[in-house]
């Protein structure tokens, strides 16, 4: 029963993240995208600060501000800037599809930087997944959209964030980590707004309401995914993170009138299939390693 509840939480979080993405994309048509990101991050940072205080998490202890944690926050800033830039310039269905390659990049980074074991099967899955990415963005063809490369920048940055999370002190409260991530985005958003030269727009009542909805959706999405991953077994709930692509495709069609072509659908299918295979393969290897360890512990000593 706990896995079912966790799965519903993960699906809910993906739905909320999609709502946040759609409002950011809509807001970017009336306001500079860097300003949209800046205002959302101010709101979310405030929410997580209040949350941390209510939980009585220690915010300013030295352990929570080590270089690795701050570096992780900086990758969040790069990823956020790149992601919202892509949302403002590229179809949301394309952004959602390419972003699903992130788990494959994490596997690649774990093999290269963390020296984790990756066999030829998972290397093949990574290769197939990247073929799916190329099918969507199509570099060198007339349908190529250079702005889609912003999604790849976001993928690399978020993958780096996740890799650093693996080696980060688990005692650091998640509320503090989230607050730091949003705070790190603030100077990046200010810099992006200054570089763009676009004058800030004072949000009216409608835009303010949209900003509040985006903030709440992002916060609820985060809260649900944390709760779901802690409540359920990772092997049961992780595949349902791909529900975000389904929601994104639906939102793109119904809200923005997008019409993804056959190559986009095929590329998305390749990315999801390769990601699921890589995950299942990793779970199988972990189970084999655990069984071998138990057998070694239970073996009689001579």
């Amino acid at each position: 029963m706990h896995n079912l509840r966790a799965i519903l939480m993960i699906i809910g979080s993906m739905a909320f993240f999609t709502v946040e993405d759609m409002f950011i994309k809509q807001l970017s048509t009336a306001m500079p995208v860097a300003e949209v990101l800046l205002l959302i991050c101010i709101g979310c940072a405030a929410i997580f600060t209040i949350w941390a205080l209510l939980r009585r998490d220690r915010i300013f202890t030295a352990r929570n501000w080590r270089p690795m944690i701050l570096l992780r926050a900086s990758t969040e800033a790069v990823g956020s800037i790149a992601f919202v830039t892509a949302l403002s310039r590229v179809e949301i269905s394309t952004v959602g599809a390419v972003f699903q390659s992130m788990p494959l990049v994490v596997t690649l980074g774990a093999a290269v930087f963390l020296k984790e074991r990756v066999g030829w099967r998972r290397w093949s899955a990574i290769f197939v997944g990247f073929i799916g990415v190329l099918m969507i963005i199509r570099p060198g063809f007339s349908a190529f959209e250079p702005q889609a490369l912003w999604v790849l920048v976001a993928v690399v940055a978020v993958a780096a964030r996740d890799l650093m999370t693996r080696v980060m002190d688990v005692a650091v409260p998640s509320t503090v980590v989230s607050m730091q991530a949003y705070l790190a985005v603030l100077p990046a958003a200010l810099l992006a707004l200054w570089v763009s030269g676009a004058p800030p727009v004072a949000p009216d009542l409608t835009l303010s309401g949209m900003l509040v909805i985006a903030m709440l959706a992002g916060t609820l999405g985060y809260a649900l995914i944390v709760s779901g991953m802690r409540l359920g077994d990772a092997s049961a709930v992780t595949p349902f993170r791909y529900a975000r692509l389904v929601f994104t495709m639906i939102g793109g069609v119904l809200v923005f009138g997008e019409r993804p072509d056959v190559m986009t659908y095929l590329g998305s299918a390749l990315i999801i299939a390769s990601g699921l295979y890589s995950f299942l393969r990793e779970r199988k290897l972990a189970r084999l390693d655990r069984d071998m360890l138990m057998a070694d512990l239970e073996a009689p000593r001579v």
Side-chain angles (χ1 to χ4, degrees), residues 187-235:
L190 283 170
L191 178 61
L193 184 61
W194 177 71
V195 170
S196 70
V201 175
D204 57 20
L205 186 60
T206 299
L207 294 177
S208 298
M210 295 171 67
L211 284 166
V212 170
I213 293 173
M215 292 175 195
L216 293 176
T219 304
L220 288 171
Y222 176 84
L224 283 174
I225 197 170
V226 170
S227 299
M229 294 302 292
R230 286 179 173 175
L231 176 64
D233 300 325
S235 58

Side-chain angles (χ1 to χ4, degrees), residues 288-299:
L288 289 174
D289 289 341
R290 184 177 64 250
D291 291 344
M292 291 177 62
L293 177 61
M294 293 300 297
D296 182 63
L297 292 174
E298 294 172 359

Side-chain angles (χ1 to χ4, degrees), residues 3-86:
N3 275 340
L4 177 59
R5 290 173 55 200
I7 288 170
L8 293 175
M9 287 179 180
I10 295 299
I11 294 174
S13 72
M14 296 300 104
F16 279 119
F17 284 142
T18 303
V19 170
E20 180 189 28
D21 293 346
M22 289 193 296
F23 274 97
I24 289 175
K25 185 172 182 63
Q26 189 64 42
L27 283 162
S28 67
T29 63
M31 303 171 63
V33 66
E35 182 186 2
V36 174
L37 180 62
L38 178 66
L39 294 175
I40 289 177
C41 285
I42 290 174
C44 290
I47 290 173
F48 280 112
T49 301
I50 295 171
W51 191 358
L53 293 174
L54 291 175
R55 284 166 46 95
R56 298 185 178 180
D57 292 331
R58 299 179 64 184
I59 296 176
F60 296 108
T61 182
R63 182 182 61 192
N64 295 347
W65 298 88
R66 292 174 180 172
M68 175 63 73
I69 298 173
L70 298 180
L71 181 61
R72 178 195 180 278
S74 69
T75 60
E76 188 82 56
V78 174
S80 296
I81 290 290
F83 189 78
V84 297
T85 301

